[in-house]
Amino acid sequence: MSNAAEHLHHDEHHDHKPAGIMRWLNTTNHKDIGTLYLWFAFIMFLIGGAMAMVIRAELFQPGLQLVDPNFFNQMTTVHGLIMVFGAVMPAFTGLANWMVPLMIGAPDMALPRMNNWSFWILPFAFLILLSSLFLEGGGPNFGWTFYAPLSTTYSNDSTALFVFSVHIMGASSIMGAINVIVTIFNMRAPGMTWMKMPLFVWTWLITAFLLIAVMPVLAGAVTMVLTDKFFGTSFFDAAGGGDPVLFQHIFWFFGHPEVYIMILPAFGIISQIVPTFSRKPLFGYASMVYATASIALLSFIVWAHHMFTTGMPVAAELFFMFATMLISVPTGVKVFNWVATMWRGAISFEIPMLFALAFIVLFTIGGFSGLMLAITPVDFQYHDTYFVVAHFHYVLVTGAIFSIMAAVYYWLPKWCGKMYDETLAKWHFWCSLISVNLLFFPMHFVGLAGMPRRIPDYALQFADFNKWISIGGFAFGLSQLIFLALLIKASRKQGEPATDQVWEGAQGLEWEIPSPAPYHTFETPPMVK
Amino acid sequence: MGRGVITALFATLLTSGVVAEPSQLNLRRGVTDISAQVYDLHMTIFYICVVIGIVVFGAMLYAMVFHRKSRGVKPANFHESVRVEVAWTVVPFIILIGMAIPAASTLIDMEDASQADVTVLVTGSQWKWHYKYMDRDVEYYSVLATQPEQIANKFNKGENYLLEVDRPLVIPTDKKVRFLVTSDDVIHSWWVPDFAVKKDANPGFINEAWAKVNEPGIYRGQCAELCGKDHGFMPVVVIAKEPADYEAWITEQEGIQRKAKEEEQKLLAMNMEMDELMEVGARVYQSACAACHMPNGEGLPGVFPALKGSAIATGEMTKHIDVVVNGVSGTAMQAFGKQLSLKELAAVITYERNAWGNNTGDTVQAKDVNALMTGK
Amino acid sequence: MSEQRPNNNSRLVIKLMAVVLGMFGFGFALVPLYDVFCDITGINGKTNPYAATYDVQDVDTSRTIMVEFITRTNTGMPWEFEARTKRIAVHPGELKTVQFYARNPTTRDIVGQAIPSVSPGTAALYLNKTECFCFNQQPLQAGQDVLMPMQFYVDPQIPEDIEVFTLSYTLYDVTGTSSTVAMNRG
């Protein structure tokens, strides 16, 4: 496929990097920045997970035991914000940083200086958000969706910090997205045409366009919240001619594409892994690209399905119901294509493949509940219950997060030059798989039986399931410590040495460079035939 | 993998007789024609999903078992087929149309609130519901009746823990009841699962929903939109009575409420003693004020202000009455003039001015409150 | 090719930044767009903030529509506020006037603003107010009261299935904020 190997010797001469902390602070190397993003995302995943543990501990049994309702609301809010903006999105950005240049044969990201900035402002954003929890009155407590007027008139002063930190997160994401777009547009190796790009690159390109389209809208929304709260405007206050429902329209105009920002790169990852371990090319490459693009486009016209209960004219409800149902067509195409890729392949079950298979099944379950939620009349029953909580955790935890884990196992040998610890990895997978279903599957039941979300205490009929859900939650949380141990081991370069190709069925430029990937790669662009 | 198995298990659990009513696992059928339609729609789509799931996961499982490398198979190399791609774009599309048609017709039925027999204005506020019968002179607040000690795990929890209120909404069966839903502060959502009614209460705007209940009974729901600290503690309870019983009830209520107003006016001349005011005030404070200002009057720093030693509770009396009666716009402080009787207002203000070392020695009488409210 | 890259890059970055700025602006543009959207679809039952002119000649006497009025005061608004007519039957196209009463029982001057909302929302599209106290702010001195008229007609185009609709007014205390707040709704 390329003559990259000829350049490897040349690359190794440059493989000297500055030492100590300054290496990481000043780095403009896409691999260093990718590593920083990934570790940052993992730390945020653990912090956000710890908050989920607080939530699950409080909900272990009925009654108020551990935290007061106000703190409980802060936990649900900050858990959501951290997982979305601190864990899933930076993890995908980290993977893009590491892999996009390697997959398209580029020496680095197009804008290395901005790359450094877009990472290093992120820790400050989360420092600000987390520190607001320790202020008098606590941090944001209005849910990660910060509906006005709960987040404006009725919130406390730490809202200013919340707004500021969301602005920084947004700026970081936008810079990251611009970098990805420019890299893919301008830095592809000769011969790497659009329709030869690996699907991970394609899905990230589309994601990056979604990011620059909707993150500014989020910035606008938080700015309006800020001015409504502190500067006397009335965007969302009926008294001044505004409308609280307007907030939800603006928020979900951002929020729905945001959901796809968190799942499209996952589709890309699965589309890399399934062919590798099926030893068979991806089925329907072109239709995968078109399906991804149509999901992205549809995501702009479905936002109000989050708001069916706000009171809409029937015509609008019908439109948003039909548009939402339509999304299941391209999503279905993707799932069918993955199954067709496996069909008559020669499948082996290494850890990345196990996570990918779990992804396909569990994400599809999340997709089914999504389809059910799209049906407006029934959504009136599901809306704001644990059924919704189950749905988006299936999509985001067993979807996005499982795909990130699959990606880490898949590319870790390339990053470190050593295979991961197989025993720990197996423990991690099976413990996660069992506990995550114990955690999220019964949420469907309590939701259908009528338990609203975001409540710190519940009626007795929900008690049994909640106990199991909490046990599943603690188990899933503990399972991630196995992953932590494995990652520490890998970053200390312990383990079996990995070959350059790593996986028998792996195809693509990233497998043609040595393992571990040298500090500088593709300084002379490879020729892609 | 076998997640398909779990899905199938889910299906069997739902259909088998194991689950008695009310279901712990599934949506309830409810007691209106609409809720039954919604339930059927839910089950239809669920079964379609199960069937698709079995097909897709079945194919996947088959590949995982029979197309394993360890069986020594040679991988095929096909990776395209326009015919197949078109098929699995078109077939799901047709299935979707099959789902959309019944969904649309149910939706259109749900949104038609015209020709109602009874109209109730439902107003949410932090953290209680207010019901006003538009055609009759009856209105009242409905608040959580579960004792705080049960929530704090000091007492055993009752059967309807967190799903019980002091004054439920009462509606007639077999009549079309229209609910106009709005809010005084943040967004709430009025939800009764048995009616398949969930409507957001938006401050400044009204929404509507309706229900025609087929069976008399007690139906319980909750607020479904995060509305602040005690979002989990504002249940909805609706009692559906036979039309004749309802008529008797509402006529009785009209009489009671009219009489209470007359009594109140008569009592204006009467002065209450400090001890009695404090006793009544302490009780009112616990039910109406303690959720935010806390039982010890210290509030939640940074969120809800303390009353202990506060400028308002120890300062000028008319200002204090004004704040309690009319609320403070742009804050969580509600207008209690609509919620409490003159006597209760007088008592609770007296209590706030004398409890927790606020010892102003002031007593507030019903006539003081009335003077501020009516300007007379 | 590699020499051209920085140039290519900056041109693309500028284009992408323009998209970002454009979308930031679009977020704010959603505010007026939403109002337009509401005017078309009747979301939230917003009524037209400007006085309509009565130009209907044909009164459709074959239909009768019941209009209900609800009055509410927001937290912190001490006025008494009530509709003198609770409900009224109108023929589409017929001009009607109803009275609302407000009194400021306090010892301070207060400026009120009434915010209308119609349910079902689609009815708002066919409700035309030729005169309404909600078009303007209403100042009331301490102890003063006022009878406020509202004149309206229902567009004969109103869909057959709407037989009754509700118009609610929520009264807000806007004293002191009136200068900073744009009153764009009546």
Side-chain angles (χ1 to χ4, degrees):
Chain A
M1 197 175 170
S2 88
N3 57 359
E6 288 169 25
H7 302 286
L8 297 175
H9 194 65
H10 170 77
D11 287 339
E12 275 158 22
H13 288 295
H14 292 260
D15 203 1
H16 40 76
K17 36 201 163 191
I21 182 85
M22 293 316 283
R23 165 186 171 188
W24 298 105
L25 281 176
N26 291 331
T27 185
T28 55
N29 180 289
H30 74 101
K31 301 184 185 79
D32 279 356
I33 293 171
T35 307
L36 285 170
Y37 263 114
L38 286 165
W39 272 111
F40 177 78
F42 190 63
I43 291 164
M44 282 296 138
F45 177 59
L46 294 179
I47 294 174
M51 290 174 180
M53 297 300 107
V54 173
I55 294 167
R56 281 327 312 177
E58 177 56 54
L59 292 174
F60 187 74
Q61 61 187 63
L64 291 176
Q65 292 86 21
L66 299 169
V67 295
D68 68 88
N70 191 39
F71 188 72
F72 183 89
N73 287 345
Q74 293 172 43
M75 286 292 102
T76 54
T77 305
V78 183
H79 163 76
L81 289 167
I82 284 190
M83 288 308 199
V84 169
F85 296 106
V88 175
M89 289 168 68
F92 280 136
T93 314
L95 291 171
N97 260 289
W98 247 106
M99 300 317 298
V100 167
L102 295 186
M103 290 173 129
I104 62 171
D108 203 311
M109 296 294 277
L111 311 159
R113 184 55 56 190
M114 188 165 90
N115 207 8
N116 172 288
W117 269 93
S118 70
F119 173 75
W120 277 111
I121 59 175
L122 213 44
F124 292 97
F126 286 91
L127 219 56
I128 291 166
L129 181 64
L130 288 171
S131 64
S132 74
L133 288 173
F134 299 97
L135 292 180
E136 191 181 68
N141 57 6
F142 29 69
W144 84 276
T145 51
F146 59 105
Y147 279 9
L150 191 60
S151 63
T152 55
T153 314
Y154 296 86
S155 69
N156 60 43
D157 289 347
S158 74
T159 306
L161 293 180
F162 157 80
V163 169
F164 189 45
S165 79
V166 171
H167 268 304
I168 303 176
M169 293 168 202
S172 164
S173 301
I174 290 169
M175 287 197 273
I178 289 178
N179 215 338
V180 169
I181 294 174
V182 177
T183 306
I184 297 174
F185 267 68
N186 289 354
M187 310 262 297
R188 277 171 292 132
M192 177 61 81
T193 57
W194 290 112
M195 292 313 267
K196 274 189 192 160
M197 290 200 311
L199 259 169
F200 179 69
V201 180
W202 255 119
T203 52
W204 236 111
L205 180 66
I206 292 165
T207 304
F209 275 108
L210 283 181
L211 276 166
I212 62 164
V214 300
M215 291 309 283
V217 177
L218 174 69
V222 288
T223 307
M224 288 182 229
V225 163
L226 186 78
T227 58
D228 260 19
K229 177 151 182 67
F230 295 103
F231 303 107
T233 58
S234 295
F235 290 108
F236 310 129
D237 183 3
D243 183 344
V245 178
L246 167 65
F247 172 84
Q248 297 180 33
H249 282 285
I250 298 177
F251 179 84
W252 288 113
F253 185 83
F254 145 80
H256 202 78
E258 167 69 18
V259 174
Y260 293 106
I261 287 167
M262 292 190 282
I263 203 66
L264 294 185
F267 291 163
I269 290 165
I270 302 306
S271 303
Q272 300 298 132
I273 291 175
V274 170
T276 297
F277 297 97
S278 303
R279 292 163 183 80
K280 192 164 154 279
L282 182 70
F283 186 86
Y285 172 90
S287 70
M288 285 297 220
V289 174
Y290 301 140
T292 311
S294 45
I295 291 172
L297 288 175
L298 282 174
S299 77
F300 284 102
I301 55 159
V302 297
W303 77 90
H305 68 214
H306 297 268
M307 312 165 45
F308 283 141
T309 61
T310 56
M312 263 187 270
V314 185
E317 286 177 327
L318 289 172
F319 170 78
F320 285 110
M321 172 169 79
F322 296 149
T324 305
M325 290 169 81
L326 217 50
I327 286 192
S328 59
V329 174
T331 314
V333 166
K334 287 189 158 287
V335 174
F336 300 143
N337 281 347
W338 290 323
V339 176
T341 305
M342 289 164 63
W343 194 258
R344 289 182 50 212
I347 305 170
S348 58
F349 299 93
E350 286 85 349
I351 304 295
M353 185 62 166
L354 290 178
F355 272 102
L357 293 173
F359 171 95
I360 296 172
V361 175
L362 300 177
F363 171 80
T364 305
I365 290 177
F368 286 147
S369 54
L371 180 60
M372 295 168 83
L373 281 158
I375 313 293
T376 314
V378 207
D379 178 74
F380 291 141
Q381 292 285 49
Y382 304 144
H383 178 77
D384 266 336
T385 68
Y386 261 77
F387 191 78
V388 178
V389 179
H391 160 69
F392 67 73
H393 280 96
Y394 263 86
V395 175
L396 287 176
V397 179
T398 60
I401 295 203
F402 267 34
S403 83
I404 292 165
M405 286 170 178
V408 168
Y409 284 112
Y410 186 55
W411 284 311
L412 195 67
K414 181 55 67 188
W415 301 338
C416 303
K418 299 284 159 66
M419 295 304 287
Y420 49 78
D421 185 317
E422 187 73 27
T423 318
L424 284 180
K426 275 190 178 140
W427 275 98
H428 176 223
F429 173 74
W430 288 109
C431 290
S432 295
L433 181 71
I434 294 163
S435 59
V436 87
N437 282 294
L438 181 59
L439 167 56
F440 295 125
F441 207 78
M443 285 186 182
H444 293 114
F445 303 136
V446 286
L448 291 175
M451 179 164 162
R453 64 192 281 214
R454 293 168 166 165
I455 55 172
D457 193 4
Y458 47 83
L460 300 180
Q461 72 204 70
F462 309 123
D464 292 343
F465 276 128
N466 268 286
K467 187 181 282 175
W468 286 107
I469 292 169
S470 287
I471 290 169
F474 302 140
F476 185 68
L478 288 174
S479 308
Q480 302 324 305
L481 298 180
I482 307 173
F483 193 38
L484 176 65
L486 179 142
L487 289 175
I488 289 171
K489 246 183 126 173
S491 61
R492 286 183 175 168
K493 312 269 174 187
Q494 293 166 350
E496 297 285 309
T499 62
D500 291 356
Q501 203 195 1
V502 184
W503 315 106
E504 189 190 21
Q507 303 270 329
L509 287 177
E510 81 262 40
W511 307 110
E512 294 176 17
I513 55 169
S515 302
Y519 198 56
H520 298 289
T521 40
F522 298 128
E523 286 184 300
T524 317
M527 280 299 292
V528 182
K529 286 185 206 108
Chain B
M1 288 300 305
R3 218 105 326 263
V5 179
I6 287 186
T7 320
L9 190 72
F10 182 28
T12 17
L13 272 172
L14 294 178
T15 44
S16 67
V18 176
V19 210
E21 280 195 273
S23 173
Q24 303 264 309
L25 289 171
N26 198 5
L27 219 54
R28 58 194 92 187
R29 194 170 183 88
V31 289
T32 67
D33 294 346
I34 289 285
S35 71
Q37 275 188 46
V38 165
Y39 174 82
D40 292 338
L41 198 55
H42 157 76
M43 289 315 291
T44 310
I45 291 160
F46 171 71
Y47 285 128
I48 293 173
C49 289
V50 169
V51 171
I52 299 172
I54 289 170
V55 172
V56 175
F57 301 153
M60 198 174 149
L61 202 68
Y62 184 89
M64 282 161 65
V65 173
F66 293 101
H67 304 151
R68 258 180 306 145
K69 192 194 171 220
S70 54
R71 285 168 60 101
V73 293
K74 280 270 166 285
N77 197 36
F78 66 86
H79 55 84
E80 244 169 353
S81 164
V82 176
R83 224 180 310 155
V84 172
E85 300 270 355
V86 169
W88 63 40
T89 310
V90 172
V91 171
F93 194 77
I94 292 166
I95 297 174
L96 287 182
I97 292 172
M99 291 180 180
I101 290 166
S105 89
T106 305
L107 183 65
I108 289 165
D109 287 350
M110 283 176 112
E111 295 289 345
D112 178 19
S114 57
Q115 290 184 312
D117 302 306
V118 177
T119 301
V120 184
L121 177 65
V122 178
T123 310
S125 62
Q126 285 181 326
W127 295 286
K128 50 179 91 73
W129 295 101
H130 177 260
Y131 301 115
K132 181 177 181 184
Y133 293 81
M134 298 305 293
D135 323 300
R136 310 296 285 259
D137 249 353
V138 176
E139 60 178 304
Y140 51 88
Y141 279 86
S142 173
V143 294
L144 177 74
T146 303
Q147 299 153 293
E149 289 84 357
Q150 289 189 21
I151 297 169
N153 303 308
K154 285 177 192 141
F155 293 175
N156 285 336
K157 295 175 175 47
E159 189 195 349
N160 293 312
Y161 176 68
L162 297 187
L163 295 177
E164 51 201 346
V165 295
D166 59 347
R167 304 194 62 187
L169 174 67
V170 179
I171 58 170
T173 55
D174 303 320
K175 300 252 184 200
K176 189 164 183 177
V177 182
R178 183 168 65 129
F179 307 103
L180 293 170
V181 185
T182 185
S183 165
D184 272 339
D185 39 43
V186 299
I187 299 172
H188 304 269
S189 192
W190 196 76
W191 179 30
V192 183
D194 282 306
F195 304 168
V197 166
K198 184 184 283 153
K199 218 41 159 184
D200 283 6
N202 298 320
F205 299 93
I206 52 169
N207 262 328
E208 61 183 18
W210 66 273
K212 190 173 171 191
V213 181
N214 296 331
E215 291 164 41
I218 303 176
Y219 305 107
R220 296 168 199 278
Q222 281 179 273
C223 175
E225 181 62 63
L226 178 63
C227 55
K229 182 171 83 69
D230 284 350
H231 162 54
F233 305 94
M234 55 182 292
V236 174
V237 181
V238 181
I239 297 179
K241 288 181 196 259
E242 299 280 359
D245 296 345
Y246 165 77
E247 202 49 47
W249 176 86
I250 192 110
T251 311
E252 185 194 353
Q253 291 301 311
E254 264 180 334
I256 293 171
Q257 295 209 348
R258 197 181 324 112
K259 219 172 192 174
K261 271 183 205 149
E262 288 164 11
E263 289 288 312
E264 195 163 54
Q265 290 302 316
K266 274 188 214 151
L267 287 173
L268 279 180
M270 198 178 80
N271 274 339
M272 283 163 76
E273 292 301 314
M274 175 67 113
D275 286 349
E276 193 190 350
L277 283 167
M278 286 297 279
E279 191 193 316
V280 176
R283 184 173 48 74
V284 175
Y285 182 86
Q286 290 309 324
S287 68
C289 318
C292 298
H293 295 294
M294 296 291 123
N296 59 12
E298 288 173 8
L300 274 182
V303 186
F304 301 118
L307 299 182
K308 185 177 171 178
S310 87
I312 286 169
T314 59
E316 196 201 341
M317 197 160 80
T318 48
K319 175 71 189 159
H320 190 178
I321 300 174
D322 183 22
V323 166
V324 175
V325 168
N326 294 318
V328 182
S329 83
T331 72
M333 182 63 198
Q334 301 176 353
F336 285 93
K338 299 182 256 183
Q339 306 184 24
L340 303 171
S341 70
L342 292 174
K343 179 179 149 188
E344 286 169 328
L345 286 164
V348 79
I349 297 167
T350 306
Y351 178 77
E352 288 174 358
R353 298 183 74 77
N354 294 288
W356 327 295
N358 277 359
N359 310 319
T360 57
D362 296 337
T363 56
V364 179
Q365 299 297 344
K367 64 173 183 295
D368 301 329
V369 179
N370 188 55
L372 183 121
M373 283 170 93
T374 59
K376 283 166 195 157
Chain C
M1 182 177 171
S2 55
E3 300 89 62
Q4 291 171 355
R5 262 182 201 156
N7 212 348
N8 275 350
N9 284 358
S10 45
R11 219 178 303 152
L12 188 52
V13 170
I14 288 166
K15 275 186 208 158
L16 294 173
M17 282 309 295
V19 174
V20 169
L21 285 177
M23 288 309 291
F24 186 70
F26 179 73
F28 286 89
L30 280 174
V31 178
L33 277 177
Y34 176 70
D35 282 343
V36 173
F37 192 57
C38 291
D39 283 346
I40 298 167
T41 63
I43 284 186
N44 255 351
K46 293 183 183 190
T47 61
N48 200 318
Y50 308 107
T53 43
Y54 181 65
D55 53 5
V56 179
Q57 278 87 40
D58 307 324
V59 175
D60 182 358
T61 47
S62 66
R63 292 178 65 195
T64 306
I65 292 177
M66 190 63 82
V67 185
E68 297 177 334
F69 300 98
I70 294 179
T71 51
R72 305 176 58 248
T73 52
N74 189 53
T75 301
M77 181 47 150
W79 288 8
E80 288 164 24
F81 178 42
E82 63 175 39
R84 282 287 152 90
T85 313
K86 301 282 183 220
R87 52 169 48 189
I88 189 169
V90 297
H91 297 306
E94 186 186 9
L95 196 63
K96 285 271 182 185
T97 305
V98 286
Q99 300 287 344
F100 288 77
Y101 171 79
R103 189 171 82 92
N104 176 1
T106 67
T107 51
R108 60 181 193 273
D109 300 348
I110 290 174
V111 182
Q113 169 73 49
I115 302 292
S117 174
V118 173
S119 187
T122 29
L125 302 175
Y126 305 94
L127 173 67
N128 297 297
K129 291 181 277 189
T130 54
E131 189 188 344
C132 182
F133 54 94
C134 59
F135 293 156
N136 301 304
Q137 297 183 358
Q138 301 291 329
L140 279 187
Q141 286 162 4
Q144 198 189 0
D145 62 354
V146 68
L147 212 52
M148 306 180 292
M150 198 280 274
Q151 195 177 48
F152 72 97
Y153 68 94
V154 177
D155 192 318
Q157 303 291 315
I158 190 163
E160 290 289 332
D161 59 329
I162 299 178
E163 288 159 349
V164 55
F165 67 85
T166 310
L167 172 58
S168 101
Y169 283 104
T170 308
L171 199 58
Y172 289 84
D173 177 357
V174 292
T175 318
T177 61
S178 43
S179 56
T180 56
V181 174
M183 281 302 150
N184 57 5
R185 192 153 297 119

Short mmCIF file of all heavy atoms in Angstrom, two decimals, chain B residues 10 33 54 118 146 149 212 227 339:
data_model
loop_
_atom_site.label_atom_id
_atom_site.label_comp_id
_atom_site.label_asym_id
_atom_site.label_seq_id
_atom_site.Cartn_x
_atom_site.Cartn_y
_atom_site.Cartn_z
N PHE B 10 -36.46 -10.39 28.45
CA PHE B 10 -37.20 -9.18 28.75
C PHE B 10 -38.62 -9.34 28.20
O PHE B 10 -39.61 -9.10 28.89
CB PHE B 10 -36.47 -8.00 28.09
CG PHE B 10 -37.05 -6.64 28.33
CD1 PHE B 10 -37.77 -6.35 29.47
CD2 PHE B 10 -36.83 -5.63 27.40
CE1 PHE B 10 -38.29 -5.08 29.69
CE2 PHE B 10 -37.34 -4.37 27.61
CZ PHE B 10 -38.09 -4.10 28.74
N ASP B 33 -58.68 5.68 27.58
CA ASP B 33 -58.56 5.05 26.26
C ASP B 33 -57.22 5.40 25.63
O ASP B 33 -56.58 4.58 24.98
CB ASP B 33 -59.70 5.51 25.34
CG ASP B 33 -61.05 5.02 25.85
OD1 ASP B 33 -61.05 4.12 26.72
OD2 ASP B 33 -62.08 5.53 25.40
N ILE B 54 -33.51 -9.89 17.18
CA ILE B 54 -33.24 -11.33 17.04
C ILE B 54 -32.58 -11.60 15.69
O ILE B 54 -31.60 -12.36 15.60
CB ILE B 54 -34.54 -12.14 17.21
CG1 ILE B 54 -34.98 -12.09 18.69
CG2 ILE B 54 -34.35 -13.59 16.78
CD1 ILE B 54 -36.37 -12.63 18.95
N VAL B 118 -64.89 19.46 32.15
CA VAL B 118 -64.35 20.11 33.35
C VAL B 118 -62.96 20.65 32.99
O VAL B 118 -62.21 19.98 32.29
CB VAL B 118 -64.20 19.10 34.51
CG1 VAL B 118 -63.57 19.75 35.73
CG2 VAL B 118 -65.54 18.49 34.86
N THR B 146 -45.81 13.03 52.92
CA THR B 146 -44.90 12.12 53.62
C THR B 146 -44.16 12.88 54.72
O THR B 146 -43.67 13.99 54.48
CB THR B 146 -43.90 11.52 52.63
OG1 THR B 146 -44.62 10.87 51.60
CG2 THR B 146 -42.96 10.55 53.30
N GLU B 149 -39.64 12.74 58.75
CA GLU B 149 -38.93 11.69 59.50
C GLU B 149 -38.81 10.41 58.67
O GLU B 149 -37.86 9.65 58.83
CB GLU B 149 -39.65 11.38 60.81
CG GLU B 149 -39.55 12.48 61.87
CD GLU B 149 -40.59 13.57 61.68
OE1 GLU B 149 -41.36 13.50 60.69
OE2 GLU B 149 -40.63 14.51 62.50
N LYS B 212 -59.82 11.33 30.02
CA LYS B 212 -61.17 10.86 30.31
C LYS B 212 -61.01 9.52 30.99
O LYS B 212 -60.68 8.52 30.36
CB LYS B 212 -61.96 10.73 29.00
CG LYS B 212 -63.42 10.49 29.20
CD LYS B 212 -64.13 10.56 27.86
CE LYS B 212 -65.57 10.11 28.01
NZ LYS B 212 -66.19 9.92 26.70
N CYS B 227 -36.66 20.72 38.88
CA CYS B 227 -37.17 22.04 39.23
C CYS B 227 -36.49 22.57 40.48
O CYS B 227 -37.04 23.39 41.19
CB CYS B 227 -38.68 21.99 39.41
SG CYS B 227 -39.24 20.78 40.60
N GLN B 339 -51.28 31.21 49.39
CA GLN B 339 -51.18 29.83 49.83
C GLN B 339 -51.67 29.61 51.25
O GLN B 339 -52.09 28.51 51.60
CB GLN B 339 -49.73 29.35 49.74
CG GLN B 339 -49.13 29.55 48.38
CD GLN B 339 -47.74 28.99 48.27
OE1 GLN B 339 -47.36 28.09 49.00
NE2 GLN B 339 -46.96 29.52 47.34
#
